[in-house]
Amino acid sequence: MNATPSSTDHRDHTYGTDHAYGTATDRTEPADQEGRTVHLDTAGWGTMPAAVRALVADCASREDRYGPHELEEDLEDVLRTEVHERLGALLGVPAADTAVVTDAAGAFDALVSRLAPGRGERVWTTPYESAARLTALYALRDRTRCTVEVVPLREDGDLDLEWMARHIGDDVALVSVVHVPSGCGIVNPVEEIGQILAPYRCVYAVDASYSAGQLPVDAGRIGCQLLTGDGWRFLRGPYAVGFAFLAPRLRAAFEDAAAHRPLPPNAAVAGLNAALAHHTATATAAADGPAGLAGQGLLPALRAAVEECPGTELIAPGRVQSAILAFRHRDLPAALVRRRLAARGVVVWKTVAQETPLHLPRSGATTALRASLGPDTTPQDIARFGRALREVVREETAGAQPPPRPHLPPSPPPLPSLPLPRPRSRPRGPGPGRPPAAT
């Protein structure tokens, strides 16, 4: 069945490469100017490139007009072949080993729900694990009576690889590691971990939700058997579509679980395909070094903007950082700062301890702010963010000062204490019920 209609067909749009992405100069925002919104939340929701946004809107319009079946027929090559080829190229794996899912957390849960480690076997996770993946691991523990262990951190915040090398064994059934956590910008050494785990039978699962699109992600080099990610963050695709790489030995179990879960909308899959094409055509940041988008030189400026603001503290463990920076203010609630920044046209994210319950409380914070760079972030954006942050802190901390005490006349000196007269004693004679005094 031809997925590209003929010129005489009433369905007169194509959904392949030509429609998938614009030129390398395609931007979602006008040229930098003081009035435009400064979007520093690519980790939460990447702004779609104009061509991707137009494609998704067009798909929704055509589905509304002609119905989902005709749209699926138009998108057959994209849904069955093209998006998988693009995912395979992005992740360094065969296209046949990729899957399109609604979100990374759901794909991880689907596979973990089909694993059956023996009683007492070990499952490893890290302090940077997300709440959603921890929930799946705890459910696995409760179902199979395996043991969940947390890999310790070194003093600098990096994972203790020496501990992993000493304690790995064939009784480790599953190892779950997040490449870049949602609550801070550390880049965990997933390739080095893969080398430690390679001789053993464990399933190695990597969460690339916050790294795909901003860092090189090569599942073949990592050596994992499961890699999951979301399409709407640094890849800048539409919401409700993600992806997974599965080693062949896991595919049957995954497909059995995924058969009972909802599929992403066809328009969202087409949008992901377009976003992948746009990323391939325009992304050059990965060649700048291991820090990806952070290698563009904006991360030091972002850090400086935070550090120069009175009362702020960075939450930046580890030696290698990505394009995500978490911070907090010692005296101001994160929600308040986020709202005040938004009122000034600067968008950041508020993160809470429940999202990474094994990490954020370690820093002594229950809430924090997260700023993340994108391919359209400019030095002018960072400068505006820094000014806005300083203004918010200055205004809010000034308003939080207690009011001055009113001027009162000096208090009179205290009166001198005077000895009180002792009461005079009266002679006590016999009375009712009282014996006479002894003589």
Side-chain angles (χ1 to χ4, degrees):
M1 188 174 296
N2 187 4
T4 304
S6 67
S7 60
T8 58
D9 199 321
H10 65 277
R11 294 162 290 166
D12 54 0
H13 291 73
T14 59
Y15 297 90
T17 302
D18 292 339
H19 195 83
Y21 59 90
T23 65
T25 59
D26 178 44
R27 296 174 61 90
T28 61
E29 297 283 356
D32 182 72
Q33 53 188 339
E34 192 69 18
R36 83 180 182 105
T37 298
V38 175
H39 185 78
L40 294 178
D41 188 26
T42 307
W45 188 296
T47 56
M48 284 189 287
V52 177
R53 185 169 57 247
L55 172 62
V56 173
D58 182 63
C59 286
S61 175
R62 294 178 67 77
E63 183 175 45
D64 179 66
R65 183 175 181 183
Y66 301 114
H69 299 296
E70 290 212 27
L71 178 65
E72 184 175 359
E73 183 177 301
D74 281 348
L75 296 174
E76 182 177 8
D77 284 351
V78 170
L79 301 179
R80 296 182 181 275
T81 303
E82 193 170 315
V83 69
H84 295 284
E85 291 175 346
R86 297 193 189 283
L87 285 171
L90 176 75
L91 304 177
V93 297
D97 293 339
T98 65
V100 177
V101 297
T102 55
D103 62 278
F108 179 77
D109 180 72
L111 179 67
V112 170
S113 68
R114 291 300 190 271
L115 296 180
R119 185 185 184 94
E121 290 190 333
R122 294 181 290 159
V123 171
W124 282 0
T125 186
T126 78
Y128 298 114
E129 192 73 279
S130 69
R133 289 169 72 100
L134 284 174
T135 299
L137 295 179
Y138 293 154
L140 176 67
R141 178 196 61 189
D142 295 343
R143 175 169 57 85
T144 66
R145 295 295 184 257
C146 65
T147 301
V148 176
E149 297 178 349
V150 180
V151 175
L153 301 179
R154 305 189 327 177
E155 290 186 2
D156 59 8
D158 283 340
L159 294 173
D160 192 337
L161 301 189
E162 294 181 359
W163 183 94
M164 297 182 76
R166 289 196 307 270
H167 291 84
I168 185 61
D170 281 332
D171 61 337
V172 176
L174 171 65
V175 176
S176 176
V177 177
V178 55
H179 194 183
V180 175
S182 64
C184 67
I186 188 174
V187 180
N188 286 318
V190 290
E191 291 187 15
E192 289 86 343
I193 293 172
Q195 294 171 5
I196 294 173
L197 303 179
Y200 300 90
R201 69 176 185 87
C202 61
V203 173
Y204 180 24
V206 173
D207 180 8
S209 297
Y210 295 86
S211 58
Q214 67 139 328
L215 295 171
V217 177
D218 190 321
R221 290 178 58 88
I222 293 171
C224 57
Q225 289 74 51
L226 173 68
L227 185 143
T228 56
D230 295 324
W232 62 86
R233 303 186 194 279
F234 288 97
L235 286 172
R236 304 168 69 200
Y239 188 67
V241 62
F243 55 88
F245 154 72
L246 298 115
R249 67 185 176 103
L250 300 179
R251 178 163 289 278
F254 176 81
E255 290 179 348
D256 179 61
H260 305 284
R261 295 172 181 259
L263 296 173
N266 290 330
V269 178
L272 174 63
N273 180 64
L276 291 168
H278 186 276
H279 173 75
T280 301
T282 61
T284 57
D288 292 341
L293 284 173
Q296 295 180 358
L298 294 180
L299 182 62
L302 185 64
R303 289 176 64 103
V306 172
E307 291 176 315
E308 291 170 2
C309 183
T312 55
E313 299 174 342
L314 293 177
I315 304 175
R319 293 170 294 175
V320 180
Q321 295 292 313
S322 67
I324 298 174
L325 184 67
F327 63 97
R328 63 173 178 169
H329 192 275
R330 290 192 296 267
D331 302 318
L332 298 179
L336 174 66
V337 177
R338 187 201 65 80
R339 290 196 302 269
R340 296 295 184 264
L341 288 174
R344 289 166 168 80
V346 178
V347 178
V348 297
W349 182 260
K350 185 195 80 170
T351 181
V352 298
Q354 292 90 333
E355 294 173 357
T356 51
L358 301 182
H359 162 59
L360 193 57
R362 286 171 171 259
S363 66
T366 56
T367 61
L369 293 160
R370 185 188 69 199
S372 48
L373 305 171
D376 290 338
T377 307
T378 67
Q380 292 80 7
D381 291 338
I382 304 301
R384 275 192 58 195
F385 161 72
R387 290 195 301 271
L389 182 62
R390 291 190 297 272
E391 290 172 2
V392 169
V393 169
R394 182 173 61 250
E395 293 177 5
E396 295 300 328
T397 53
Q401 296 296 326
R405 297 179 62 183
H407 177 72
L408 298 175
S411 301
L415 296 174
S417 58
L418 300 176
L420 297 178
R422 296 181 61 185
R424 296 176 64 183
S425 59
R426 293 180 295 179
R428 301 174 62 191
R434 182 180 298 153
T439 58

